[in-house]
Amino acid sequence: MQDTATLTIDGQTYELPIVRGTEGEVAIDISSLRSRAKVITLDPGYANTGACTSTITFVDGEKGILRYRGYPIEQLAEYSSFVETAMLLIFGELPTKEERAEFRTMLGDQALLHEDLLHHFDGFPPNGHPMAILAAVINSLGTYYPDLLEIRSDEEFRQAVAKLISKVRTIAAFSYRKSRGLPIIYPDPRRSYCENFLHMMFSVPYREYTPTPEALRALSLFLLVHADHEQNCSCSTVRMVGSSEANLFASVSAGVSALWGRLHGGANSAVLTMLEQIRDGDLSVRECVERAKRKEFRLMGFGHRVYKNFDPRAKVLKAAAKRLLTSLNVQDDLLEIAQELEDIALSDDYFVERKLYPNVDFYSGIILRALGIPTNMFPVMFAMGRMPGWIAHWHEQFQDPNARIHRPRQIYMGPAQRDYIPMHARKRTS
Ligand code: CMC
């Protein structure tokens, strides 16, 4: 097997190292190209650019494979929990019983927010989007832990991890309570991660909310399948921000902002809105598909930059959505509409040729809806799930002795040099 690739530019030949991954992926290392040949590569949207090597998550988009630290997502979905999977992603191995118990205790101990931080919630308007609140409050968290703005030891890192994984859930629940004008319900450390979240979301002072085991399992599964997805937009943002040696709190807060967009974590709420429009008769399923084909809009929850086959997370969540609805004895029209939409799209040449399959966001909203989570909280739920992945990537980069500040180049296409025009001489032709 070759270990270099040959590139010829203007008659000059350059040997470039080839890097091979564990699963046979091949990359050409062009990091020395500009200094040697005064040439850069151009790749808008980075679809063909590897920004780093990583040991965290493997995705094979052609085969529909997703593995965290080598473990298939299907096995983790069946046997693991969100907290255990978060530990796997962040610390590299599945925890022992003792390690998991100890980490769960840390999460319980870290669930409260500093009381002063609660005033931040009062400063937002009641209808302020919870993603804005989440990003702002996570960034503010760092101000309460100045010792953790520089991570100097594994123990400090563990402390920061426990704070973020635990408190993101408290912040998410409090932002919902504020938006509804409901009193804040403090976390209860005796409850499991998911149970505690639902307690903070839905208990009221005179009535404790008790979720069913199926609801808890569905929430854990939702968070678990969202826990990492290698170099997606928000993860790359976290790495980008972290590459300047910005602290962990600031870096993951930037990840929340990147996740908010409709093409990324905001897609799950957009899917639900689309399904509701169909249910309410504003749009038929067929019309929806046709309008997507005419490129009037995108069929939300369909297509993926990497998956050119079924997104394995969509399969897991579709089955979970059905299980949850059956256990709750609920018939949701939206699930039926989603299935109809999927069937029509998957047999349509437009979607087949472009290899557009349902992605993770297509069925996730049905689960969240069944759990009583309002639509504007959907991306917040995604952010809670993705927190372990962001942290794992930030830390991997932090520990990498070869990591450098991210600083892409560009090809300038603007005006060539010209002389300053005084105000009186400026004219517009159109
Ligand atoms: N509906 C209709 N057409 C689509 C869709 C869609 N959902 N997605 C892609 N296409 C078409 C697109 O118009 C283009 O057609 P053509 O070749 O004729 O120009 C072709 O498929 C390739 O699209 P692209 O924009 O080059 O693909 P991309 O890799 O840049 O975008 C994507 C990936 C996920 C942003 C896109 O598929 C999309 O907008 N999907 C809808 C939003 C969505 O569900 N996002 C969640 C993604 S998964 C979770 C996450 O990342 O957070």
Side-chain angles (χ1 to χ4, degrees):
M1 265 194 286
Q2 273 179 254
D3 54 9
T4 58
T6 308
L7 179 69
T8 305
I9 307 167
D10 294 337
Q12 184 79 35
T13 299
Y14 303 92
E15 294 292 321
L16 299 167
I18 290 183
V19 180
R20 291 178 201 275
T22 320
E23 300 286 344
E25 292 158 298
V26 181
I28 301 168
D29 178 350
I30 52 100
S31 52
S32 65
L33 187 60
R34 189 173 185 281
S35 58
R36 288 164 65 198
K38 296 270 178 293
V39 166
I40 62 164
T41 54
L42 187 62
D43 182 20
Y46 310 131
N48 207 45
T49 293
C52 60
T53 59
S54 177
T55 61
I56 302 168
T57 289
F58 173 68
V59 178
D60 182 331
E62 274 73 36
K63 295 194 183 126
I65 293 174
L66 169 61
R67 297 185 201 130
Y68 296 160
R69 303 274 187 193
Y71 295 102
I73 192 70
E74 295 81 2
Q75 289 184 22
L76 293 168
E78 185 156 357
Y79 304 116
S80 188
S81 66
F82 172 62
V83 170
E84 184 181 82
T85 297
M87 293 182 76
L88 169 69
L89 285 166
I90 296 170
F91 303 119
E93 294 295 342
L94 285 169
T96 62
K97 198 172 172 186
E98 292 73 31
E99 286 165 345
R100 197 176 68 175
E102 192 194 340
F103 191 64
R104 279 194 192 277
T105 305
M106 284 176 84
L107 293 182
D109 291 348
Q110 294 297 341
L112 278 173
L113 300 182
H114 192 292
E115 284 290 307
D116 291 348
L117 196 54
L118 300 187
H119 300 304
H120 291 237
F121 291 89
D122 294 330
F124 294 106
N127 56 355
H129 198 289
M131 278 301 258
I133 300 176
L134 189 70
V137 179
I138 289 179
N139 203 359
S140 311
L141 255 190
T143 63
Y144 293 84
Y145 306 106
D147 290 353
L148 296 178
L149 297 183
E150 296 269 354
I151 303 278
R152 282 159 300 227
S153 65
D154 288 352
E155 186 44 37
E156 282 184 350
F157 177 60
R158 264 162 52 84
Q159 290 296 331
V161 170
K163 285 187 181 3
L164 273 167
I165 300 275
S166 189
K167 292 182 199 302
V168 66
R169 154 188 72 162
T170 312
I171 299 167
F174 284 10
S175 66
Y176 165 73
R177 304 289 297 206
K178 276 285 169 190
S179 73
R180 294 288 157 119
L182 291 166
I184 275 171
I185 297 289
Y186 281 90
D188 173 356
R190 289 162 306 180
R191 296 173 195 253
S192 72
Y193 189 88
C194 291
E195 191 183 352
N196 209 348
F197 173 69
L198 293 174
H199 164 64
M200 288 188 274
M201 286 285 289
F202 301 125
S203 285
V204 280
Y206 46 86
R207 183 171 29 84
E208 291 229 329
Y209 176 81
T210 312
T212 63
E214 290 82 9
L216 288 176
R217 181 73 200 130
L219 178 57
S220 176
L221 198 59
F222 168 90
L223 297 172
L224 183 156
V225 300
H226 284 82
D228 191 39
H229 210 244
E230 49 115 305
Q231 309 304 319
N232 53 81
C233 177
S234 57
C235 172
S236 304
T237 301
V238 171
R239 278 185 174 262
M240 169 75 87
V241 175
S243 79
S244 74
E245 299 190 357
N247 67 75
L248 181 56
F249 298 95
S251 303
V252 298
S253 149
V256 174
S257 299
L259 187 72
W260 193 355
R262 247 197 324 271
L263 299 187
H264 192 12
N268 52 16
S269 48
V271 170
L272 213 82
T273 307
M274 180 182 80
L275 297 176
E276 281 169 350
Q277 279 175 348
I278 295 174
R279 181 201 57 198
D280 298 343
D282 298 341
L283 198 64
S284 72
V285 172
R286 177 68 60 190
E287 225 179 322
C288 185
V289 170
E290 291 307 320
R291 287 184 61 184
K293 285 163 62 179
R294 290 199 299 272
K295 301 195 189 293
E296 288 173 30
F297 57 67
R298 293 204 160 188
L299 196 55
M300 300 316 285
F302 257 76
H304 198 275
R305 171 62 61 80
V306 179
Y307 290 118
K308 302 301 166 198
N309 197 320
F310 254 97
D311 179 337
R313 303 167 300 173
K315 281 192 195 167
V316 169
L317 290 183
K318 181 178 178 180
K322 286 185 178 173
R323 268 200 313 273
L324 178 63
L325 293 181
T326 309
S327 78
L328 298 175
N329 205 14
V330 168
Q331 200 190 341
D332 190 343
D333 297 347
L334 299 192
L335 178 62
E336 283 164 31
I337 294 168
Q339 281 181 313
E340 198 184 335
L341 203 51
E342 178 185 332
D343 291 343
I344 295 184
L346 291 185
S347 57
D348 189 295
D349 282 350
Y350 175 94
F351 292 87
V352 175
E353 278 161 18
R354 290 170 181 76
K355 301 193 168 109
L356 301 170
Y357 291 86
N359 60 45
V360 68
D361 294 313
F362 196 63
Y363 286 103
S364 64
I366 310 266
I367 294 181
L368 296 179
R369 197 170 118 89
L371 294 174
I373 312 280
T375 315
N376 68 347
M377 283 288 289
F378 286 10
V380 170
M381 303 301 294
F382 193 150
M384 268 173 66
R386 186 53 57 87
M387 189 56 74
W390 291 334
I391 295 172
H393 282 274
W394 182 92
H395 195 232
E396 184 175 69
Q397 179 173 267
F398 175 75
Q399 288 191 308
D400 180 356
N402 299 317
R404 304 173 76 192
I405 189 166
H406 290 205
R407 205 312 185 177
R409 296 226 175 218
Q410 62 165 19
I411 296 292
Y412 175 69
M413 298 287 210
Q417 184 178 334
R418 47 187 176 162
D419 290 326
Y420 182 80
I421 307 167
M423 182 73 81
H424 68 267
R426 291 176 209 165
K427 290 193 189 87
R428 294 270 175 271
T429 44
S430 57

